[in-house]
Amino acid sequence: MNRLSSSLLTAVPADVQRPAYDRSALKTGIVHLGIGAFHRAHQAYYTEAVLNRFGGDWGILGASLRSPTVRDQLAPQDGLYTLVERSSERERLQIIGAVQSVLVGPDNPAALIAEMADPQVKIVSLTVTEKGYCHDPATGNLNVEHPDIIHDLQNLQAPRTAIGYLVAALAQRQQMGSKSFTALSCDNLPNNGATLSNVVQQFAERVSPDLAQWIERNTLFPCTMVDRIVPATTDEDRAHLAERLGLSDEGVVVAEPFTQWVIEDRFVDGRPEWEAVGAELVSSVEEYENIKLRLLNGSHSTLAYAGYLAGFDYISEVMSEPAFDNLISRFMAREAGETLAVPTGFDLLHYQSQLRERFRNTELKHRTWQIAMDGSQKLPQRLLYTLRDQLRGRGNIDIICLAVAAWIRYVSGVDERGDAIDVSDPLASRLRALCDANKGDAAGMVKAVVAVAEVFGTDLRDEARFVETTTVWLERFYEYGVLATVRKYFG
Ligand code: CS2
């Protein structure tokens, strides 16, 4: 079967949307670090919509900081790939042309730095996941003991981290006397722009105070709220698409129809007209960000840990168990939802029922295991800020504690059948050791794990209500199993 490429664009079925603009007119205006499935189904989708509507030249150069996979998928396809939007009601296919090419950092770090330093580039955007910020999730400060940060501070010409790349490129711009760029964080972190600015500043300070000052004066780091559920693409997705398209596409991404992007409107040197194609450009994203992190991502992590342990592979399967659906409705209404301030006119109840609908989408194969990854980096903003607010206001914390207990049960590394869990987390071995050292003693396990300051800060270990309630759930999980426990209390 032929592979999707520029010359075969005309061969795709007529119901598949294609780039309606002249791709050869594109210039690299955006460099995107971390060109995974999410970027391709979200920010690139919005930029594509701008190009389809107005033309223009806002092209994207994608970069992978680790693996060559996406480059190898997209290079033979001239950067083209299909976005499949899927729900039980419909399937919509679109070929995206906004990504011009992909660089692989480790192959040639200098080439990527040079691209980022080119004054034609106005925006450097990022989806490098929580751990890509190399920060301490509880405080937001740069982790100066992180091996990759130590490496990058000594080898700025060949960095490994996004932070190293940003500072190296900004240093070149300063030296050349050119304008700075907008650094646009699109990761699920609270105050993501400010968090990025903070770690970049702390890194740059160590390189040169003069550079740090130049960055501070010239660079903007807007905050964003990004939302679209985009599971990892499977071989089945590729096979299904090949049938529909009549061409093979190694770079296909599958997403839900829903998408949202709220952006703080502060840019150094222009941006695509994203507001004309559905993005919301606002003066502050904080409320949107909290709503999304605490309701969507908080629910996701809760469903992922408890659902995985209960034996479910996919989020839609977890949601088809009525007790879990109940649990998550209550979590949103009585715990996370109680802590949120909402923008004027925002319907919080509608948002919650829409979320449950989205989680139930059976056409998305969203693995509980995928969401369970990197919990140590995710828990603070997804569950623990809510927990602190509820403790302060003496609100309900029952389900947050259940979620934390499920996470502890998960990172212990052994499931309910006695099989190993493949725990993917930068703190995996430390967390596992803490659980092993307290085997058979739920109270001891909770005490040891909540003392991990990078995740829980230094305050939560002394919150008796939190520690005790979490312990009770963990005891129940060990005694009756997660599914029976959830059915008993939420069925
Ligand atoms: C998920 C998110 O993998 C995860 O941890 O919670 O990636 C989620 O799908 C997105 O934030 C939705 O916008």
Side-chain angles (χ1 to χ4, degrees):
M1 187 178 273
N2 285 324
R3 188 98 173 247
L4 173 67
S5 68
S6 300
S7 59
L8 290 177
L9 256 184
T10 47
V12 306
D15 64 336
V16 178
Q17 191 182 346
R18 279 169 278 178
Y21 55 92
D22 176 10
R23 287 189 82 215
S24 67
L26 295 182
K27 297 191 194 123
T28 304
I30 301 173
V31 171
H32 184 81
L33 306 181
I35 183 159
F38 184 70
H39 171 73
R40 283 178 280 154
H42 191 271
Q43 303 98 60
Y45 157 85
Y46 283 92
T47 300
E48 179 78 0
V50 171
L51 292 168
N52 277 332
R53 178 130 173 222
F54 304 111
D57 60 4
W58 280 101
I60 301 172
L61 171 75
S64 299
L65 300 189
R66 287 173 205 281
S67 121
T69 310
V70 176
R71 192 261 325 269
D72 296 348
Q73 289 169 338
L74 296 191
Q77 304 182 178
D78 306 314
L80 295 168
Y81 62 90
T82 315
L83 166 66
V84 180
E85 292 176 1
R86 197 179 278 162
S87 70
S88 51
E89 286 93 54
R90 69 187 187 115
E91 182 176 82
R92 179 184 164 271
L93 268 55
Q94 174 178 8
I95 294 178
I96 307 261
V99 177
Q100 300 169 275
S101 57
V102 178
L103 292 185
V104 180
D107 279 6
N108 187 349
L112 176 53
I113 296 170
E115 288 286 351
M116 294 165 70
D118 184 335
Q120 186 184 275
V121 170
K122 319 283 188 209
I123 298 170
V124 176
S125 52
L126 296 85
T127 47
V128 293
T129 80
E130 296 83 351
K131 64 173 179 273
Y133 289 72
C134 306
H135 69 315
D136 172 355
T139 62
N141 285 329
L142 182 70
N143 176 2
V144 289
E145 277 152 35
H146 193 298
D148 290 343
I149 292 295
I150 295 174
H151 169 274
D152 286 4
L153 281 165
Q154 284 160 5
N155 303 278
L156 199 54
Q157 73 298 343
R160 287 182 187 150
T161 70
I163 312 308
Y165 274 104
L166 285 168
V167 173
L170 288 165
Q172 281 200 11
R173 290 203 181 211
Q174 183 199 19
Q175 278 155 23
M176 296 185 303
S178 43
K179 260 195 174 165
S180 191
F181 51 68
T182 301
L184 190 65
S185 167
C186 297
D187 283 294
N188 287 313
L189 290 167
N191 251 316
N192 53 9
T195 303
L196 179 61
S197 163
N198 191 40
V199 290
V200 164
Q201 282 297 338
Q202 291 179 351
F203 187 105
E205 276 293 341
R206 284 164 192 260
V207 176
S208 124
D210 179 53
L211 171 63
Q213 205 177 69
W214 184 87
I215 294 175
E216 176 158 30
R217 290 210 184 114
N218 296 284
T219 312
L220 290 175
F221 298 84
C223 289
T224 65
M225 184 277 258
V226 292
D227 189 9
R228 186 168 224 183
I229 297 178
V230 190
T233 308
T234 64
D235 288 341
E236 220 180 309
D237 293 327
R238 290 192 191 92
H240 172 77
L241 178 75
E243 248 171 62
R244 273 286 271 112
L245 212 57
L247 295 169
S248 73
D249 175 359
E250 293 298 315
V252 55
V253 288
V254 179
E256 62 175 340
F258 181 93
T259 180
Q260 193 179 12
W261 195 10
V262 188
I263 309 164
E264 187 187 359
D265 199 2
R266 294 196 302 136
F267 286 75
V268 170
D269 198 10
R271 56 169 176 78
E273 265 185 86
W274 289 313
E275 72 274 34
V277 295
E280 295 154 79
L281 276 293
V282 299
S283 58
S284 165
V285 306
E286 196 182 340
E287 289 175 349
Y288 295 93
E289 207 174 64
N290 283 338
I291 292 170
K292 195 257 171 172
L293 281 171
R294 294 186 188 197
L295 290 176
L296 189 156
N297 298 111
S299 299
H300 246 177
S301 291
T302 304
L303 293 169
Y305 298 115
Y308 181 97
L309 293 163
F312 297 110
D313 285 337
Y314 302 113
I315 288 294
S316 60
E317 292 175 356
V318 186
M319 287 299 286
S320 70
E321 164 62 48
F324 270 107
D325 189 9
N326 263 338
L327 175 152
I328 222 62
S329 305
R330 268 202 241 172
F331 164 76
M332 291 200 264
R334 298 197 203 153
E335 300 189 19
E338 284 190 347
T339 66
L340 296 167
V342 295
T344 343
F346 190 95
D347 185 344
L348 200 58
L349 288 180
H350 171 71
Y351 186 82
Q352 293 174 26
S353 61
Q354 193 183 33
L355 277 182
R356 286 170 50 222
E357 238 0 90
R358 292 169 64 193
F359 295 155
R360 283 198 208 104
N361 185 344
T362 48
E363 298 305 304
L364 289 184
K365 299 286 175 245
H366 204 185
R367 286 195 176 276
T368 47
W369 180 84
Q370 187 188 347
I371 300 167
M373 279 191 332
D374 296 337
S376 67
Q377 316 292 302
K378 292 174 173 172
L379 250 53
Q381 58 274 18
R382 294 181 176 209
L383 294 166
L384 304 181
Y385 290 157
T386 307
L387 172 66
R388 288 190 179 90
D389 284 350
Q390 290 292 77
L391 285 168
R392 220 171 287 128
R394 299 214 55 79
N396 296 313
I397 59 166
D398 219 30
I399 302 171
I400 301 173
C401 294
L402 176 150
V404 173
W407 177 66
I408 296 175
R409 177 72 188 78
Y410 182 89
V411 298
S412 77
V414 181
D415 72 13
E416 292 182 356
R417 292 189 309 253
D419 293 333
I421 302 174
D422 177 11
V423 178
S424 173
D425 191 300
L427 300 189
S429 53
R430 196 163 131 213
L431 294 166
R432 168 80 193 243
L434 292 173
C435 293
D436 282 350
N438 290 281
K439 231 182 203 125
D441 170 16
M445 255 187 190
V446 171
K447 194 168 172 228
V449 173
V450 305
V452 175
E454 294 97 311
V455 181
F456 293 93
T458 50
D459 54 334
L460 290 175
R461 66 184 70 156
D462 298 325
E463 295 286 351
R465 189 154 73 102
F466 160 59
V467 175
E468 280 157 23
T469 314
T470 305
T471 303
V472 170
W473 284 119
L474 190 58
E475 277 164 355
R476 289 174 183 149
F477 289 165
Y478 276 110
E479 193 161 347
Y480 309 109
V482 171
L483 187 57
T485 303
V486 169
R487 281 187 176 149
K488 174 161 184 209
Y489 291 92
F490 302 92

